[in-house]
Amino acid sequence: MKGIITVIGKDKVGIIAKVCVYLSDKGINILDISQTIVQGFFNMMMIVDMNNSTDSFENVYKGLEDLGKNIGVEIKLQREDIFDSMHRI
């Protein structure tokens, strides 16, 4: 199963590192990553492989949400199939 992670918030040192360490600790592989900073606002999108995750989707979702609160950004995780369905025209 693949997931889509989005991270949005004011730019600060360590956002990418903290998200990547969290994912690594859960056995989640990053397949693709794109990030940009526009006028001090950080925006990142990741596609991740969750097949070898050591935790459930729900726990990873909650853990990323909590991590975002701790570092002052909004982090969302969606299943790839749901993301695709939502963005079809």
Side-chain angles (χ1 to χ4, degrees), residues 12-28:
K12 60 184 78 174
V13 174
I15 296 172
I16 296 172
K18 289 175 183 168
V19 173
C20 290
V21 166
Y22 177 86
L23 295 174
S24 176
D25 288 347
K26 298 293 182 185
I28 299 170

Side-chain angles (χ1 to χ4, degrees), residues 20-89:
C20 290
V21 166
Y22 177 86
L23 295 174
S24 176
D25 288 347
K26 298 293 182 185
I28 299 170
N29 188 38
I30 299 167
L31 301 174
D32 201 356
I33 182 172
S34 172
Q35 67 92 30
T36 188
I37 300 166
V38 178
Q39 295 185 3
F41 289 94
F42 179 86
N43 184 21
M44 179 170 66
M45 181 174 174
M46 306 170 110
I47 300 173
V48 297
D49 179 354
M50 300 190 66
N51 287 322
N52 296 318
S53 177
T54 59
D55 214 339
S56 69
F57 180 90
E58 292 75 18
N59 286 343
V60 172
Y61 177 93
K62 180 69 174 136
L64 285 169
E65 196 173 62
D66 291 344
L67 174 63
K69 288 177 185 172
N70 289 339
I71 62 176
V73 297
E74 182 177 317
I75 304 177
K76 295 294 181 191
L77 170 63
Q78 292 179 290
R79 296 178 193 272
E80 181 187 41
D81 54 349
I82 304 233
F83 183 87
D84 286 343
S85 294
M86 287 175 49
H87 294 91
R88 251 185 232 151
I89 295 177

